[in-house]
Amino acid sequence: PASAPAGPVADGSAVVVGGGGGLKPTISLEPPTGTRDFYPPEMRVRSWLFAHFREVARQFAFQEYDAPVLEHDELYRRKAGEEITAQMYNFTDKDGHAVTLRPEMTPSLARMVLALGGKALLPLKWTSLPQCWRYEAVQRGRKREHYQWNMDIFGERSICAELELLAAIVAFFTRVGITHEDVGLRVNSRGVLHAVLSSHGIGGEQFAPVCVIVDKLDKIGHDAVVAELVGKGIPAPVGAAIVRTLSLKSLDELRALMGGNGEAADAIAELGRLFELAQAYGIGEWLQFDASVVRGLAYYTGVVFEGFDRSGELRAICGGGRYDRLLSVYGAPSEVPACGFGFGDCVVMELLAAKGKMPQLPHTVQFVVVPFDEAMRAPALAVAARLRSAGYSVDTLLEPTKKVKAAFSYADRVGGQRVVFVAPDEWQRGCVRIKDLRGHEQRAAAEGGEGGEGADGSSKQFDVPFDGLL
Ligand SMILES: Nc1ccc(Br)nc1
């Protein structure tokens, strides 16, 4: 504001950047299109969310890894018509290399596991919290980056791997106060789709593009899906049969339609086993079979799943599935079974806000050390150092002040819980004066006074020997 002083003042009030006249930035104050700044309040929420992700990963015995945000373009060359590969944030670098900001983490993970070769001790359970990117046309006005919690298991062919992943997702929701009445997990298997295509003599190379098209059913509708499948050489009656399997509402219906043996029957039996074991894990109420779940990534080969909010207001909260062929596609000498999920940081925030579960995370500091004057600055630093050596969070008032009000004003602003005054008289006696600010607003309200004084007139302040400050 124009009235704000140009420089620091000793009354503890905030100095406003750019005060003393209109701000005339010589740079853009906005981050690049589609990206976000995380100011401290938003960063506290993000750190809170990531801490829950990491704590669940720890409880499920996953190990954290990371990879460069920049990858070779070739890692994502899948030609299955996916949106994710059509919107890559890719470019040619100064060495002429075709590179891209990663649109997802799974290919980087597959590359790392393949690089380990025989040294990869399977099963392997790894987690990461990568920032992932896309380049969308500006008019869509959508974000171009998000953080996506990844959890993956390599080396386990049975649905016990999917069960760990689903249980981890449930554990996260439970930790943040979201219940199975708020959200659910839709589960299906691409094995059924693969069986339908095989039964019509349609080869494996068409499987991924068909899945990508069928995943658009909700968006473009039945006829458009069948038409796009025809465009991929899938006769309309086969396309209609595929779409029909997606509308089935139960495993029994699916079993009845697909018959009791062969690839479809195996996929259905696996799903039945998954739902049965889910009960033992205590997550049965969260899961439901949904034949329409396909997910839009080309490399899924088996069970697929997604988290959804039961109000129907939000987009998918998370999604994942089995991808047993990805390492083979990258050249692995034999098939390495794998499954995993991605859980973005945006939709879950909308969900928490809608459910009133957003955390209140004020900035707090345990001690604010205040030198009485310049002569007390050195002792004040010694006091701060001693408190920090004991593990406390300590802010030091950089501008000495004799005004208790100024000290309180600053301490209030930075969320200080106690103020440590370092003044000559107490220091002569080897002491500092500590004033407890916690709850003083309540005391002030109760007494209608300035606060800082106890109900019995005693102030919540006490002198403490410097040597006893631990
Ligand atoms: N794949 C991807 C990357 C970035 C965002 Br925002 N959404 C999806």
Side-chain angles (χ1 to χ4, degrees):
S3 59
V9 288
D11 69 359
S13 63
V15 172
V16 178
V17 173
L23 181 61
K24 300 181 184 63
T26 59
I27 51 152
S28 163
L29 302 184
E30 292 301 312
T33 303
T35 68
R36 298 167 290 173
D37 292 328
F38 286 85
Y39 286 87
E42 291 83 17
M43 193 64 200
R44 286 195 288 273
V45 176
R46 178 176 131 189
S47 299
W48 168 87
L49 179 71
F50 287 15
H52 280 296
F53 286 153
R54 288 193 165 98
E55 179 55 16
V56 169
R58 185 192 67 80
Q59 288 183 7
F60 279 74
F62 280 63
Q63 300 180 62
E64 188 163 359
Y65 70 96
D66 198 4
V69 68
L70 187 70
E71 282 282 10
H72 292 296
D73 208 69
E74 65 182 4
L75 209 56
Y76 311 95
R77 217 167 279 152
R78 305 195 289 248
K79 305 267 180 286
E82 297 153 285
E83 185 177 86
I84 196 170
T85 53
Q87 295 181 337
M88 291 212 301
Y89 212 121
N90 60 333
F91 54 97
T92 303
D93 73 10
K94 293 176 180 172
D95 292 331
H97 295 143
V99 292
T100 185
L101 296 182
R102 65 186 165 211
E104 56 171 334
M105 194 60 157
T106 305
S108 301
L109 171 57
R111 174 178 62 72
M112 290 171 68
V113 173
L114 196 56
L116 278 179
K119 294 199 289 288
L121 299 179
L122 300 180
L124 162 165
K125 301 175 184 176
W126 286 7
T127 187
S128 193
L129 283 160
Q131 186 177 33
C132 296
W133 295 80
R134 69 181 170 195
Y135 192 88
E136 272 214 340
V138 178
Q139 74 265 9
R140 287 293 298 268
R142 295 202 297 173
K143 288 195 314 50
R144 287 179 170 169
E145 53 78 21
H146 72 166
Y147 287 85
Q148 188 190 58
W149 178 35
N150 276 247
M151 294 273 278
D152 291 84
I153 298 175
F154 277 77
E156 175 52 47
R157 193 169 291 286
S158 82
I159 46 94
C160 293
E162 284 90 334
L163 209 52
E164 288 303 294
L165 298 174
L166 293 166
I169 293 171
V170 169
F172 166 78
F173 282 132
T174 303
R175 292 180 65 88
V176 298
I178 296 293
T179 73
H180 69 274
E181 289 168 353
D182 299 319
V183 305
L185 291 168
R186 295 189 184 106
V187 183
N188 188 21
S189 172
R190 283 190 173 181
V192 174
L193 258 184
H194 194 269
V196 172
L197 291 180
S198 306
S199 67
H200 289 92
I202 295 164
E205 70 289 343
Q206 287 178 293
F207 178 57
V210 166
C211 289
V212 172
I213 291 169
V214 167
D215 178 59
K216 298 187 284 189
L217 183 63
D218 282 356
K219 290 188 272 289
I220 63 177
H222 177 288
D223 295 346
V225 164
V226 173
E228 284 200 29
L229 291 175
V230 167
K232 292 290 179 188
I234 311 287
V238 181
I242 288 169
V243 173
R244 234 188 344 269
T245 61
L246 303 180
S247 58
L248 295 174
K249 292 304 169 210
S250 75
L251 273 180
D252 290 341
E253 278 183 34
L254 191 60
R255 198 176 284 115
L257 177 74
M258 303 302 294
N261 53 36
E263 184 185 356
D266 294 345
I268 294 166
E270 262 195 351
L271 285 170
R273 181 71 173 143
L274 187 148
F275 288 114
E276 180 192 331
L277 288 175
Q279 297 299 336
Y281 238 161
I283 63 171
E285 294 173 301
W286 295 75
L287 308 189
Q288 63 194 54
F289 169 70
D290 185 325
S292 69
V293 173
V294 183
R295 300 300 295 165
L297 291 174
Y299 48 68
Y300 287 142
T301 55
V303 170
V304 287
F305 51 86
E306 67 187 22
F308 70 99
D309 87 286
R310 295 190 190 279
S311 74
E313 299 291 318
L314 304 175
R315 306 182 309 284
I317 303 163
C318 56
R322 178 165 287 279
Y323 52 99
D324 287 343
R325 301 277 310 134
L326 189 57
L327 261 70
S328 307
V329 166
Y330 286 163
S334 59
E335 188 172 280
V336 180
C339 61
F341 69 76
F343 195 132
D345 69 325
C346 296
V347 178
V348 66
M349 281 300 163
E350 295 173 46
L351 173 73
L352 290 166
K355 300 298 178 186
K357 299 292 183 187
M358 283 294 275
Q360 298 304 312
L361 304 168
H363 173 57
T364 60
V365 173
Q366 288 169 300
F367 292 96
V368 176
V369 176
V370 178
F372 180 77
D373 57 18
E374 199 51 37
M376 287 289 110
R377 185 188 291 278
L381 296 180
V383 169
R386 174 159 290 215
L387 287 168
R388 286 173 181 144
S389 71
Y392 293 111
S393 58
V394 179
D395 194 351
T396 54
L397 192 63
L398 300 176
E399 180 64 35
T401 179
K402 299 173 182 170
K403 297 177 186 164
V404 171
K405 196 167 180 307
F408 281 171
S409 168
Y410 178 82
D412 255 357
R413 185 156 59 79
V414 300
Q417 297 179 323
R418 297 180 190 82
V419 176
V420 185
F421 290 99
V422 184
D425 298 353
E426 290 83 13
W427 192 248
Q428 289 298 341
R429 292 185 279 107
C431 289
V432 293
R433 176 156 295 176
I434 296 183
K435 201 166 188 57
D436 193 331
L437 299 183
R438 287 170 303 170
H440 82 95
E441 299 91 350
Q442 290 78 354
R443 278 205 299 281
E447 294 144 22
E450 281 293 299
E453 298 302 316
D456 56 2
S458 69
S459 70
K460 292 279 284 182
Q461 68 178 31
F462 29 90
D463 291 353
V464 175
F466 173 67
D467 295 335
L469 261 188
L470 285 183

